Amino acid sequence: MTERKRTPWVVGVSGASGTPYAAAVLRGLLAAGESVDLVVSRASRLTLLDETGIAFRDAHWRDDLGEWLARGADGKPETFARPELDEVRYWGAGDLAAGPSSGSYPVKGMLIVPASTACVAGVALGLSKDLLQRVASVTLKERRRLVVAVRETPLNGQTLRHLVALDEAGAVVLPASPAFYTGATHIQDLVDFVAGRVLDAAGVPHRLYRRWEGELGGSRTARGAGGGD
C-alpha cells in the first residue's frame, strides 16, 4: 500500500498580540485532518508567555503546544481537549535549513497568524531574517496560498503600503477583525470568527462560526439559542 504523501499547511506565529487566534487556527486545521508545519518566532514566544503564561521551548514543544491548544481565549486552562499532535512538525525559527525553507518541500501554503507589522514589512520587502519570513517568501515565489492575518491598529501609511504590496504579490491580507453578526456571547466566539475566516481563505472546512444567511436578526436568535454552531 502506498503511504499517503504528507502535504502540510505551514502556520507561522509572529510576535503580534493575538496568540489565541493562532491556537484556534491550529485546532481547526487538526480537526479538519490537515497536517501542520509550525514556526513560532522568537518574538512570539514573549507574547505567548505574556498572554497565556506558557513558555514555549524547542526541546519540549509538544508539551507546550498541547497546553497552549487546550487553553481558551480567556486564558482558562484545559478549555479544550488536547489534540493529537502526530500531524504536527515543528521547525525552530532560526533553522534556515528547515524543510519549508525550500520551494521543493511540498506544502499547501502558509498562514501567518497573527502577523505583526514587522513581519508584514519583512515579507513585503522579501527579507529572510528568520524561518518565518523565509517560508513566506518561498510561498509567494512558488505561487502558493499565503494568508496574512495582520493584527495591529491603527495602521500607518508605511504598513498600508506593505499590505498593498503583499496583496499585489498574491497574498490574502486578512485583518484580525472580529464580526458580531454571528451571535457571539464569549471572547472565544470572536477569536473563532477570525480563525474561521483564515481557514475560509485557505479553503479548509470548519464549523467555527455561524455563517451569514441573509436574515436580519440572526445574531439575536443565535444568542437566544445559546450561541452559534
Side-chain angles (χ1 to χ4, degrees):
M1 181 178 294
T2 302
E3 185 178 353
R4 179 177 66 89
K5 184 177 181 181
R6 183 179 183 276
T7 309
W9 285 97
V10 180
V11 176
V13 186
S14 80
S17 176
T19 56
Y21 293 130
V25 167
L26 288 166
R27 285 193 298 267
L29 288 170
L30 295 176
E34 298 285 346
S35 298
V36 173
D37 276 22
L38 178 64
V39 181
V40 179
S41 77
R42 291 189 175 90
S44 70
R45 296 175 190 231
L46 298 176
T47 308
L48 182 62
L49 181 63
D50 184 56
E51 294 183 345
T52 69
I54 297 172
F56 197 92
R57 303 160 294 176
D58 285 347
H60 303 281
W61 70 266
R62 283 186 176 273
D63 291 337
D64 298 337
L65 179 60
E67 181 182 356
W68 179 20
L69 298 189
R71 193 172 295 257
D74 59 0
K76 184 179 178 182
E78 305 303 329
T79 298
F80 300 95
R82 297 198 179 201
E84 294 292 332
L85 301 178
D86 294 341
E87 289 299 320
V88 179
R89 183 176 294 174
Y90 172 73
W91 302 97
D95 185 4
L96 292 178
S101 68
S102 171
S104 66
Y105 183 87
V107 302
K108 293 181 178 179
M110 184 180 192
L111 315 176
I112 305 179
V113 188
S116 66
T117 54
C119 173
V120 166
V123 176
L125 294 173
L127 304 181
S128 295
K129 74 168 189 176
D130 61 8
L131 181 60
L132 194 158
Q133 290 185 9
R134 171 59 186 170
V135 178
S137 179
V138 168
T139 302
L140 288 175
K141 82 179 182 69
E142 295 294 328
R143 301 298 191 265
R144 295 168 180 159
R145 180 61 55 93
L146 174 64
V147 181
V148 181
V150 61
R151 214 306 306 163
E152 185 60 89
T153 190
L155 297 172
N156 62 28
Q158 187 175 43
T159 298
L160 289 170
R161 285 187 287 272
H162 288 152
L163 292 173
V164 169
L166 288 179
D167 176 77
E168 292 175 342
V172 177
V173 176
L174 194 151
S177 177
F180 295 86
Y181 62 79
T182 60
T185 59
H186 190 275
I187 186 175
Q188 188 67 55
D189 299 324
L190 299 175
V191 168
D192 284 348
F193 175 83
V194 172
R197 294 299 286 151
V198 171
L199 296 178
D200 287 345
V204 175
H206 66 88
R207 289 172 58 87
L208 287 175
Y209 67 88
R210 185 186 69 84
R211 297 184 181 277
W212 175 253
E213 296 178 347
E215 182 180 350
L216 294 177
S219 63
R220 294 190 297 275
T221 302
R223 291 191 190 99
D229 291 339

